[in-house]
Amino acid sequence: MRSYQIGDVVVFGAEGLCRIEDITEKKFGKEIIQYYVLKQLMRGNSVNYVPVNNAVSYTHLRAHETLMNL
């Protein structure tokens, strides 16, 4: 799987263009899960959390090479 960085612009499923605003961790019981925090570029108030190591969610996330690091 590709690794993304804060500031990268990606396409996330039906949500469209998003910028990775942060990479954070959330604890669920004893498990700690790392997430990309995506802010939609067309809808400024919408935020999505995508698990970094979840193959199913990750398949909906792809780099938008022409807009990386805007």
Side-chain angles (χ1 to χ4, degrees):
M1 284 191 279
R2 179 185 174 139
S3 181
Y4 296 100
Q5 304 297 318
I6 294 172
D8 287 352
V9 175
V10 297
V11 178
F12 179 61
E15 305 300 330
L17 289 175
C18 299
R19 176 174 284 117
I20 298 178
E21 294 290 314
D22 196 10
I23 300 172
T24 189
E25 293 180 341
K26 303 279 183 186
K27 185 174 182 180
F28 295 96
K30 294 181 180 181
E31 186 176 13
I32 297 174
I33 301 173
Q34 193 172 37
Y35 292 89
Y36 292 119
V37 180
L38 306 180
K39 183 174 181 187
Q40 292 181 10
L41 295 179
M42 300 307 209
R43 293 178 244 160
N45 294 331
S46 185
V47 175
N48 294 288
Y49 290 79
V50 178
V52 171
N53 293 321
N54 182 306
V56 174
S57 296
Y58 205 86
T59 60
H60 299 287
L61 185 68
R62 65 183 190 277
H64 193 284
E65 299 298 335
T66 59
L67 295 177
M68 295 292 279
N69 298 314
L70 275 180

